[in-house]
Amino acid sequence: MGAFWRQRTLAGFMMGVAAFTLPASADGLAETEIDTLVTSALKEFDTPGMSVAIVEDGKVTFMKGYGSRDLEAKKPVTPKTLFRLASTTKAFTAAALAILVDEGKIGWDDKVTDHLPAFRMKDPWVTDAFTVRDLLTHHSGLWNGAGDMLLWPEPSSFTAAEIVASLATFEPLTSFRSSYAYNNVLYIAAGELVAAVSGVPYADFVEGRILKPLGIACYWGPVPAKALKDAAVGYDMVDGKLVPHVRNGIDRNPTASVAAGGGVCNAEGMAKWMIAQLDGTHAPFSEKQRDEMWASQALLPLSDRMQEIDGTAFRSYGLGWRLADVNGVKTVSHTGTLGGWQAYVMLVPSKNLGIALFNNGSHEYARQSVIQGLLKSYLAPGEERDWVAWYAAEEAKEEAEAKTKQWPEPEVLPLTRPIEIYAGTYVDDVMGDVTITLQGEQLEIVFARMPALRGTLIPIRDGLFRTEWTDPTAAGRMYVAFPSDALGQVVALTLDNAAGAPNQADDYASRYFRRRSD
């Protein structure tokens, strides 16, 4: 059976149907047009491979793999090729909770502490008010990505319980429920809640209550060795070359971040997931809960670009899904972004249409140009635009603007104090130990709980250094400062993300590593 399926008879693909014929769609692009769109995007945006699935009216009308899942082995992408789903996993976590709501074991507006007593935020009032719904809606009052430092770069030695416990240490940036700020850790808390209420580990619950009933051969726990034979390799662009993103690869070991972004799936599986979502009657959760997940919960920023190209007038977050109008039609979607991986799941309920795509590169415009080209062929079929060229032009504009907005580098001054005074072990209550050692004439930094965070410290002046990571894909450049007491003794280590604006709230800037005296 070929990789491309259209107007063909399939055997036993969807939910017990023995065989059916896929009719040609009145809307949408022809096979050759999709081929041109995808291959052009892969080339323009340095992406090795992509898998695409389209479902319409409960049937698969397109499914095809493009490019390479493994450049070194020269293996092609197929509809069975496994990709990391990144944050498109979040809809499955919301669905797991929806099943428990249907069963009367929880309510969306139950207090989290009623089911997960150890859950804590910094403010006791917020802890008491925090509901199951709040875990999924990104309006906690924390900054964007709060807690991600414990998840990435992989591998992380932090457990899900430790990651959730870190929430109690973060000072809020805004008041509770007042603004949107994306958060992964709260989805991990949602996974822990699923486990606590069901008595089944989160990954087992998703596989047993969602994937298996729908016949989806995808994985939230360990990936079987046989399935790994058709797993893609994720890639990053480093110094002008595509290199494997080994740390974020698909292997047999599930991650603590699975409820936020650790699912592993393929085009075949996601086609079944989209059909179940759109149909509603064959899903493992009720249509009532499906509609609750698709209802607006928190307002999202609306960019000039969205208004320009899609005529978007509203954008919001539901429960594990983003909601927006595109050309006057409601869409339900989510993206997934992880080093080496990109994903997009787009549902158009009024047209009973679903589009899913996955690629093994790190350039978001590969997925964005393809999803736009496919979506517009249904919602604005008369619109003629080369989306790959359009996004390439946007990228050029962004690069030019970025050069004008770079924050100035600190002035480099000669060190007047011995460099060895900074060597030692520093400890933070959440991140654990950071060790600074003198190797020859250079300082090395190692995070004990995040093994990928290791590298050298380049001096800027007394008490201030910048990082140069051994693995350039592990993290962006950071500034490392060493505060001293009144006697000039180094007492601590602090971090600042050089990629952000000065004093911008972020994970690393929120931590304070005390120097160990022993």
Side-chain angles (χ1 to χ4, degrees):
M1 184 178 294
F4 173 75
W5 301 350
R6 194 177 185 95
Q7 295 180 292
R8 299 189 185 190
T9 300
L10 304 180
F13 179 69
M14 294 302 300
M15 293 179 285
V17 178
F20 57 86
T21 301
L22 300 179
S25 171
D27 297 316
L29 301 177
E31 175 186 1
T32 55
E33 293 174 305
I34 298 176
D35 290 348
T36 299
L37 172 64
V38 176
T39 55
S40 177
L42 295 182
K43 181 179 179 181
E44 178 67 38
F45 301 117
D46 301 308
T47 301
M50 181 178 288
S51 189
V52 180
I54 301 174
V55 301
E56 302 171 65
D57 299 321
K59 300 179 177 65
V60 178
T61 56
F62 185 92
M63 189 177 289
K64 190 172 183 178
Y66 295 88
S68 177
R69 70 177 189 267
D70 186 330
L71 291 174
E72 184 178 358
K74 298 181 180 179
K75 294 180 179 179
V77 174
T78 76
K80 295 181 182 295
T81 298
L82 295 174
F83 292 81
R84 290 195 65 172
L85 298 187
S87 284
T88 58
T89 302
K90 287 182 169 65
F92 290 84
T93 301
L97 290 171
I99 292 171
L100 296 175
V101 172
D102 275 332
E103 294 175 347
K105 295 179 179 177
I106 63 171
W108 290 117
D109 296 310
D110 287 358
K111 293 181 180 181
V112 173
T113 51
D114 287 345
H115 305 287
L116 200 62
F119 178 83
R120 292 288 183 277
M121 299 294 285
K122 184 76 170 181
D123 187 322
W125 180 89
V126 174
T127 299
D128 186 62
F130 222 95
T131 67
V132 174
R133 186 188 307 274
D134 291 324
L135 292 174
L136 307 181
T137 50
H138 305 298
H139 57 196
S140 65
L142 299 176
W143 59 88
N144 189 52
D148 282 359
M149 64 185 178
L150 305 181
L151 312 179
W152 299 289
E154 294 178 347
S156 165
S157 68
F158 292 99
T159 66
E162 288 176 318
I163 293 166
V164 173
S166 73
L167 291 166
T169 72
F170 296 139
E171 292 286 350
L173 184 65
T174 65
S175 58
F176 183 40
R177 298 185 184 137
S178 66
S179 61
Y180 173 87
Y182 197 79
N183 189 276
N184 289 295
V185 173
L186 288 166
Y187 269 79
I188 298 173
E192 292 291 275
L193 191 149
V194 169
V197 172
S198 69
V200 177
Y202 163 79
D204 292 347
F205 187 93
V206 171
E207 291 186 346
R209 299 295 303 276
I210 299 176
L211 303 183
K212 187 175 181 180
L214 293 176
I216 295 175
C218 296
Y219 309 97
W220 262 236
V223 180
K226 183 178 180 180
L228 286 174
K229 294 179 180 179
D230 198 354
V233 176
Y235 290 88
D236 265 332
M237 182 64 69
V238 178
D239 296 330
K241 294 181 180 180
L242 281 171
V243 298
H245 200 302
V246 178
R247 290 179 297 95
N248 287 350
I250 298 173
D251 56 31
R252 301 199 67 186
N253 302 310
T255 68
S257 64
V258 61
V264 173
C265 201
N266 54 25
E268 281 189 2
M270 293 303 283
K272 296 179 182 183
W273 171 242
M274 292 191 295
I275 288 174
Q277 284 279 341
L278 291 163
D279 174 79
T281 60
H282 291 91
F285 43 81
S286 66
E287 287 185 85
K288 177 182 178 181
Q289 302 310 329
R290 189 274 312 271
D291 292 345
E292 187 73 14
M293 289 184 279
W294 289 0
S296 296
Q297 307 289 333
L299 292 177
L300 295 183
L302 185 59
S303 69
D304 291 342
R305 176 188 289 177
M306 294 173 189
Q307 297 176 69
E308 174 194 345
I309 66 176
D310 294 330
T312 300
F314 91 91
R315 187 168 176 253
S316 63
Y317 204 90
L319 302 177
W321 293 97
R322 294 189 183 105
L323 315 169
D325 64 307
V326 176
N327 292 97
V329 178
K330 179 182 178 179
T331 63
V332 180
S333 69
H334 213 292
T335 54
T337 304
L338 186 65
W341 308 94
Q342 297 276 314
Y344 213 129
V345 179
M346 172 67 70
L347 305 176
V348 186
S350 64
K351 288 188 171 289
N352 210 1
L353 166 70
I355 304 169
L357 61 86
F358 317 95
N359 66 60
N360 55 340
S362 294
H363 201 309
E364 66 171 316
Y365 284 168
R367 71 176 180 204
Q368 204 69 32
S369 57
V370 173
I371 205 76
Q372 277 291 96
L374 294 174
L375 183 63
K376 292 291 188 173
S377 69
Y378 291 92
L379 303 188
E383 184 177 322
E384 297 287 339
R385 188 178 301 202
D386 182 339
W387 286 104
V388 174
W390 190 87
Y391 276 103
E394 287 296 293
E395 180 182 27
K397 291 179 190 175
E398 291 167 0
E399 289 176 349
E401 291 175 4
K403 292 179 181 178
T404 67
K405 295 180 180 179
Q406 290 180 344
W407 300 102
E409 294 280 353
E411 182 182 2
V412 177
L413 300 172
L415 297 184
T416 64
R417 306 183 70 191
I419 197 170
E420 59 266 23
I421 67 171
Y422 305 108
T425 299
Y426 302 79
V427 61
D428 174 72
D429 293 340
V430 172
M431 290 204 73
D433 289 355
V434 172
T435 301
I436 309 295
T437 57
L438 184 62
Q439 302 294 331
E441 297 181 354
Q442 204 163 35
L443 294 176
E444 291 194 354
I445 182 170
V446 176
F447 285 68
R449 302 293 303 272
M450 302 295 286
L453 284 181
R454 61 172 56 237
T456 56
L457 296 183
I458 310 302
I460 296 176
R461 60 175 177 265
D462 286 335
L464 183 63
F465 297 74
R466 65 172 175 83
T467 58
E468 193 169 274
W469 303 114
T470 303
D471 179 352
T473 68
R477 179 189 295 182
M478 297 181 199
Y479 294 121
V480 181
F482 294 90
S484 298
D485 62 16
L487 299 176
Q489 299 296 312
V490 175
V491 295
L493 177 155
T494 64
L495 302 165
D496 198 0
N497 187 349
N503 301 316
Q504 176 176 301
D506 69 45
D507 275 4
Y508 294 104
S510 73
R511 308 322 306 170
Y512 186 83
F513 295 81
R514 302 178 308 278
R515 188 170 193 168
R516 287 191 185 275
S517 57
D518 50 11

